Amino acid sequence: YNSILIRGNPFGLPMLPTGFNEVKDLSYIIELYKYNNERDLLKSYSVRISTDINKAKKSNIVIKKDSAVQDYEDLYALYKKASAHWIHDLTNYPLALFQNVSRLKNINIDNWTADHNNKMIGGDIVLTCNKIGNWWLSYYDREYSKYFARRYVLHQILMECRDKGITFYDLGVVSG
């Protein structure tokens, strides 16, 4: 007897086939609808994460959404630098993937970047659709990890998604 765990309803609402039982499990899904404002969201974090976000703010990390091909190419360079530290790069994304995502100019795709002293030190590509947000790609330069930019950017992403009416944010397969 084998089974496949499917998180959520794969058929989409309002369809719920007879016999389909949704299994509640531990996941990396953030239920943004539970937070009324930034203060509520901040209270949900551990003390360490809140402290790290404050350190990032004090470190003059500049967060922005970039859509130019060059910004995606800069993020690709960070991806390649990060993949050099992995034993096996399971993704091996080509540069063309990043360039093509930029050229799509899709309102449901955002490239969030973190800059320090006018240099990109990390970024996240976020997909949103039908009140669901997805953290698709996230790469940061290890040399700048002391600034905690990743956590600060993720917090800003969560705030914007919540403000846009996104109810769930999927962190996907999170490691490290």
Side-chain angles (χ1 to χ4, degrees), residues 8-121:
N9 180 353
F11 305 103
L13 297 174
M15 187 176 166
L16 188 60
T18 304
F20 177 81
N21 294 316
E22 185 174 343
V23 176
K24 303 293 183 191
D25 69 321
L26 297 174
S27 67
Y28 296 109
I29 306 290
I30 299 170
E31 298 168 312
L32 291 173
Y33 66 88
K34 292 181 175 181
Y35 308 105
N36 295 317
N37 51 44
E38 183 175 18
R39 194 177 75 188
D40 289 349
L41 187 59
L42 284 168
K43 285 188 334 189
S44 74
Y45 300 154
S46 69
V47 172
R48 180 179 176 192
I49 291 182
S50 296
T51 301
D52 291 347
I53 290 169
N54 286 327
K55 284 180 187 175
K57 289 177 182 178
K58 291 175 184 173
S59 299
N60 297 318
I61 299 296
V62 176
I63 299 172
K64 56 188 177 184
K65 289 199 289 187
D66 293 317
S67 59
V69 173
Q70 184 61 52
D71 298 313
Y72 280 85
E73 289 174 353
D74 291 347
L75 184 59
Y76 177 79
L78 288 174
Y79 155 68
K80 291 308 281 183
K81 186 175 180 179
S83 67
H85 294 281
W86 306 330
I87 294 171
H88 300 287
D89 180 358
L90 299 177
T91 55
N92 197 26
Y93 295 130
L95 174 59
L97 173 68
F98 287 72
Q99 293 166 331
N100 290 337
V101 168
S102 172
R103 290 184 185 113
L104 285 173
K105 304 289 185 214
N106 188 309
I107 63 169
N108 296 317
I109 302 173
D110 288 318
N111 180 21
W112 289 78
T113 61
D115 291 10
H116 185 263
N117 292 333
N118 296 316
K119 177 184 179 191
M120 183 190 289
I121 62 168

